[in-house]
């Protein structure tokens, strides 16, 4: 991190000039271990922050201009805007994320008093589904809170990030990504109940095993519209099953309650989506209990079941993610493997015994190339902390 701080401060001075007042920050990416598509169904999730993420430098200006520069998109150069023009626009590209957070601060009654020069440099692989956009949102919120002395709690940074993503960027996401990033704790995953935001940290003690991310490199394309469609299907299912049951969310149902009431859901697809939401929530609760009991094999088995449910009931995997996971299951030394994040492309998460990691990358990598026609990328990741000033 110290080395990266020097790199980004130097680049910042090159792009914007070397006057004093520049401060450097970091916010992580995240991976979800289990509990997928449960966060907008009032269920549980179990993500963790990573040591990779978004580095940023910011300096206050004396006017109301905003200038943005990303070392990941250097060819775009400096993108300009103003605090008086906080509206989403196609031309604004990635700057819609930080602008959305600035807009959201204003909506929450925290006007930003002056413009900023901002530089970002992320080391989350592009389009991997490890939440680079939520990471940008949280680092922006953290910058605003720290530089203008607003004292926003990390939990509120998560909520503001989600609010901006929903209202400014039009993606109807749940709270998981921003929460995992803002509340991350080294070597711990977060067991979050999205119905009331109560949470508990659970140590990730993977003695003799590693978390391996396999990135499909599939372009996500229709991802966000399909995501919003799944949400609507769950809402339809909830409305129908809820009658007479006294529940607020699908996360309130046990498997047995769902099975006895499920025929109230008239559409078969909606019934399958709801079944995933209910069973995945219960799996997540069981998985955390297994981890606490040091039963990592059981944890892995629940990860595998999660993938099957996302493939068959939720239908958000696709050939690329299925190939990565099904090939992973064949490798000796793999404890569990599943898609992670929204799906429709993106990546998988696997828990792999230390001695099997090289073989895993080699075997899954070559089978993927042979089936899909292009390469997957692999990252052995570590569990990191939430946002900080460097
Ligand atoms: C995306 C969303 C999250 C969550 C996951 C699926 O990452 O941003 O809120 O819904 O998909 O679990």
């Amino acid at each position: 991190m110290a080395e990266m701080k020097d790199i980004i401060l130097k680049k910042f001075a090159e792009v914007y000039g070397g006057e004093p007042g520049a401060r450097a920050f970091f916010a992580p990416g995240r991976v979800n271990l289990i509990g997928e598509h449960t966060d907008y169904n009032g269920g549980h999730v179990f993500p963790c922050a990573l040591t990779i993420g978004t580095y940023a430098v910011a300096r206050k200006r004396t006017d109301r201009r905003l200038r943005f520069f990303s070392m990941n998109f250097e060819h775009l150069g400096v993108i300009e805007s103003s605090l008086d023009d906080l509206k989403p626009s196609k031309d604004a590209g990635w700057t819609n994320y930080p602008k959305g957070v600035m807009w959201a601060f204003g909506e929450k009654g925290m006007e930003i008093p002056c413009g900023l020069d901002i530089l970002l440099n992320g080391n989350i692989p592009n389009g991997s589904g490890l939440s680079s956009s939520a990471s940008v949102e949280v680092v922006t919120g953290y910058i605003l809170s720290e530089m203008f002395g607003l004292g926003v709690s990390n939990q509120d940074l998560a909520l503001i990030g989600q609010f901006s993503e929903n209202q400014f960027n039009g993606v109807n996401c749940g709270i998981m990504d921003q929460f995992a990033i803002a509340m991350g704790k080294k070597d711990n995953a977060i067991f979050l109940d999205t119905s009331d935001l109560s949470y508990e940290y659970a140590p990730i003690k993977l003695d003799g095993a590693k978390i391996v991310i396999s990135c499909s490199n599939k372009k996500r394309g229709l991802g966000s519209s399909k995501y919003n469609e799944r949400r609507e299907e769950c809402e339809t299912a909830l409305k129908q099953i809820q009658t007479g049951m006294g529940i607020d969310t699908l996360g309130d149902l046990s498997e047995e309650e769902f099975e006895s009431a499920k025929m109230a859901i008239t559409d078969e697809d909606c019934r399958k989506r709801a079944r995933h939401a209910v069973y995945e929530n219960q799996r997540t609760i069981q998985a955390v209990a297994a981890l606490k009991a040091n039963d990592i094999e059981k944890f892995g088995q629940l990860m595998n079941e999660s993938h099957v449910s996302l493939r068959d009931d939720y239908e958000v995997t696709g050939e690329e993610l299925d190939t990565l996971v099904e090939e992973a299951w064949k490798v000796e030394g793999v404890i569990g493997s599943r898609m992670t994040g929204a799906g429709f492309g993106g990546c998988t998460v696997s828990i792999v015994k230390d001695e099997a990691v090289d073989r895993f990358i080699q075997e899954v990598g070559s089978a993927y190339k042979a089936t899909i026609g292009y390469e997957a990328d692999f990252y052995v990741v570590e569990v990191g902390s939430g946002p900080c000033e460097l």
Side-chain angles (χ1 to χ4, degrees), residues 137-290:
E137 287 158 5
V138 172
V139 84
T140 305
Y142 195 78
I143 288 172
L144 299 178
S145 177
E146 291 296 305
M147 296 200 52
F148 298 112
L150 299 170
V152 182
S153 70
N154 282 15
Q155 183 159 322
D156 283 343
L157 288 180
L159 289 165
I160 291 173
Q162 183 202 16
F163 179 73
S164 74
E165 179 108 25
N166 293 166
Q167 305 293 324
F168 195 89
N169 280 299
V171 178
N172 214 0
C173 67
I175 188 62
M176 170 171 75
D177 303 345
Q178 291 82 3
F179 199 96
I181 288 168
M183 303 295 284
K185 183 171 166 185
K186 189 174 163 37
D187 296 332
N188 282 263
I190 309 174
F191 182 40
L192 170 68
D193 182 347
T194 62
S195 69
D196 60 4
L197 296 189
S198 58
Y199 66 95
E200 185 190 324
Y201 289 108
I204 297 292
K205 313 168 276 215
L206 296 176
D207 294 334
K210 300 256 181 312
I211 301 175
V212 182
I213 306 292
S214 310
C215 186
S216 70
N217 289 327
K218 182 192 178 191
K219 294 251 175 316
R220 271 218 252 164
L222 288 171
S224 61
S225 61
K226 283 273 171 206
Y227 182 91
N228 289 346
E229 183 185 297
R230 289 293 177 279
R231 271 198 88 142
E232 284 161 22
E233 289 167 331
C234 286
E235 277 156 25
T236 304
L238 174 65
K239 271 197 204 112
Q240 295 182 341
I241 204 171
Q242 182 169 54
T243 317
M245 287 203 87
I247 56 159
D248 296 324
T249 68
L250 293 173
D252 291 335
L253 292 173
S254 66
E255 292 107 323
E256 296 73 27
E257 286 164 336
F258 174 76
E259 291 302 333
S260 61
K262 69 182 180 193
M263 292 320 281
I265 306 168
T266 49
D267 178 77
E268 200 194 328
D269 281 342
C270 292
R271 204 181 309 133
K272 280 162 67 178
R273 310 303 184 233
R275 181 165 64 192
H276 167 78
V278 170
Y279 278 72
E280 179 76 354
N281 180 42
Q282 298 301 327
R283 257 193 299 275
T284 306
I285 297 168
Q286 288 170 32
V288 175

Side-chain angles (χ1 to χ4, degrees), residues 30 32 35-40 173-177 227 341-342:
R30 70 94 185 89
N32 188 23
E36 215 67 79
H37 290 280
T38 48
D39 66 344
Y40 50 85
C173 67
I175 188 62
M176 170 171 75
D177 303 345
Y227 182 91

